[in-house]
Amino acid sequence: MTKLPLCFMLLACSLFVVTPLASAQPPTRSGYDVSWFDEFDSSSLNTSLWTAANTNVTTNNSLQDYLPEQVSVTGGNLTITSENVASRGLPHKSGLVTSTALQKHGRWDVRAKLPTSKGMWPAIWLLADAPWPSQGEIDIMENRGDQPNLTSSAFHYGTNPPFEHNFRYAEQTAVHDGADADYHDSFHTYSVEWDPNQIRFYVDDVHHWSLRDSDVGGFLTNDVGDMRLIINTAVGGDFLDNPDASTVWSQKLEVDYVHAYTKSSTGPILSFENGGFEEQGGSLAQWSKFGDAINNVSSGNERIELGDEALKLFGQFNGETNYSGIEQGISVKAGDELLASADAFIASIDSITGSGNQVELKIDYYSELYGQFGSSDYISTDSIVLADGGSLNDSWLNRQLSSFAPANAVEARLAIVFTQQGNAGGAVYIDNASFSVVAVPEPSSSVLFLLTGIVVGVRRKRKSTN
Ligand SMILES: [Ca+2]
Ligand SMILES: [Ca+2]
């Protein structure tokens, strides 16, 4: 979102009549404790949790006067309304809320439906109480009103004084059943997990980007501050085109809930989920996507082995050898035996036969949870080919990979990787993936008795030979 004069937002807070919150159950998430949450079940903004901005001081050349009257809570949602009505020297009215809670590290989930049409700039972000950008800014989600199918995430950092601004960002799209996800016409969940040394960004529980301390010169460990959550719709400004005659007024940013967590003392234990790609109505939830440059990593119903959904992979068509796919980690310890399995299907009408393209099933081991491939956290890889140019077409093919976790391993990450050679064509569908530590059966009492008997027998034998 970039900078905003927080002093104005805090000093100019509105006084709403607070009605008691409905007794919503706190959310739960494995490995995390709830720090605060708002289901927006009341009839007004809970001012113990939120401050509504009241300022016509703009940043980024945006065109809105932020007014508390543009923020409402009704029907289970927080609603920020943007209008084509001049106010205090600016052409539009809109709204912005800031959490009263300051927090460093944890997880935030925000389920929201974004405003549409040219000039709308909805944002869900975290900002430190410090001269911008000296303690950082985490943009969980930003969108442009004329781009319904694309959201972005960013990290802003630098010094002040002297003023220096740097940033990193990533864009994401998603395809399901051949159609682009539309972030304007339905609710989607935007999340961030902020650890001391990295920040992970999610849309609908699909991990699409990690920012690491090494990407920002150690800023995450050395400079970043406690942050407040901000939700707003800016109108126009440097990030996008200003509204014009095509813009439809008024517009609403609706937020169903905000869930904020701190990491529990034990932290998360990673477990494998959504191997059939059915979760969350058929998304890649729980998986990390990589190399999805042209929506070449998607879920859908074209070819299915089980359930309603499968994964579809093809290349990025950038003329070079490129890698695309998904990955998901589980917690392990050294010596664990792991078994990975997945089924692949190549349709003869869009085959990779003879092309040099292939899909591999890999297990990458790391000495740190969420470690980086190729860094000192990365230990080793085991892999098999799931499908290649010599594979049978028009049949589901099962492949299994057995592996043992090496010394120092804490995470084993299953990766399904499509390698495209040049612009070679063809797609591969994947379904029914599984990944787990093979259970070592506890010896039953009869087995124990038998073992004891053998040992005793061996000892007796030895004695008898003396
Ligand atoms: Ca709600
Ligand atoms: Ca399936």
Side-chain angles (χ1 to χ4, degrees), residues 39 41 76-77 256:
E39 303 290 345
D41 285 336
N77 296 325
D256 176 21

mmCIF file of all heavy atoms in Angstrom, residues 39 41 76-77 256, ligand 1:
data_model
loop_
_atom_site.group_PDB
_atom_site.id
_atom_site.type_symbol
_atom_site.label_atom_id
_atom_site.label_comp_id
_atom_site.label_asym_id
_atom_site.label_seq_id
_atom_site.Cartn_x
_atom_site.Cartn_y
_atom_site.Cartn_z
ATOM 1 N N GLU A 39 -15.379 -11.299 13.777
ATOM 2 C CA GLU A 39 -16.259 -11.905 12.769
ATOM 3 C C GLU A 39 -17.206 -10.866 12.169
ATOM 4 O O GLU A 39 -17.980 -11.171 11.272
ATOM 5 C CB GLU A 39 -17.081 -13.046 13.390
ATOM 6 C CG GLU A 39 -16.252 -14.147 14.047
ATOM 7 C CD GLU A 39 -15.483 -15.011 13.069
ATOM 8 O OE1 GLU A 39 -15.778 -14.967 11.857
ATOM 9 O OE2 GLU A 39 -14.571 -15.735 13.523
ATOM 10 N N ASP A 41 -19.880 -9.609 13.494
ATOM 11 C CA ASP A 41 -21.255 -10.045 13.756
ATOM 12 C C ASP A 41 -22.077 -9.001 14.492
ATOM 13 O O ASP A 41 -23.249 -9.229 14.770
ATOM 14 C CB ASP A 41 -21.233 -11.350 14.585
ATOM 15 C CG ASP A 41 -20.850 -12.550 13.742
ATOM 16 O OD1 ASP A 41 -21.038 -12.488 12.510
ATOM 17 O OD2 ASP A 41 -20.355 -13.534 14.321
ATOM 18 N N GLY A 76 -22.948 -9.336 9.086
ATOM 19 C CA GLY A 76 -21.801 -10.219 9.302
ATOM 20 C C GLY A 76 -20.526 -9.754 8.634
ATOM 21 O O GLY A 76 -19.508 -10.455 8.700
ATOM 22 N N ASN A 77 -20.554 -8.585 7.984
ATOM 23 C CA ASN A 77 -19.367 -8.085 7.290
ATOM 24 C C ASN A 77 -19.003 -6.678 7.730
ATOM 25 O O ASN A 77 -19.877 -5.873 8.063
ATOM 26 C CB ASN A 77 -19.604 -8.029 5.769
ATOM 27 C CG ASN A 77 -19.838 -9.393 5.168
ATOM 28 O OD1 ASN A 77 -19.252 -10.379 5.598
ATOM 29 N ND2 ASN A 77 -20.706 -9.447 4.184
ATOM 30 N N ASP A 256 -15.488 -10.451 5.662
ATOM 31 C CA ASP A 256 -16.269 -11.397 6.464
ATOM 32 C C ASP A 256 -15.645 -11.608 7.837
ATOM 33 O O ASP A 256 -16.349 -11.677 8.840
ATOM 34 C CB ASP A 256 -16.363 -12.724 5.695
ATOM 35 C CG ASP A 256 -17.073 -13.813 6.465
ATOM 36 O OD1 ASP A 256 -17.841 -13.502 7.394
ATOM 37 O OD2 ASP A 256 -16.847 -14.995 6.140
HETATM 38 CA CA CA B 1 -18.511 -12.437 9.319
#
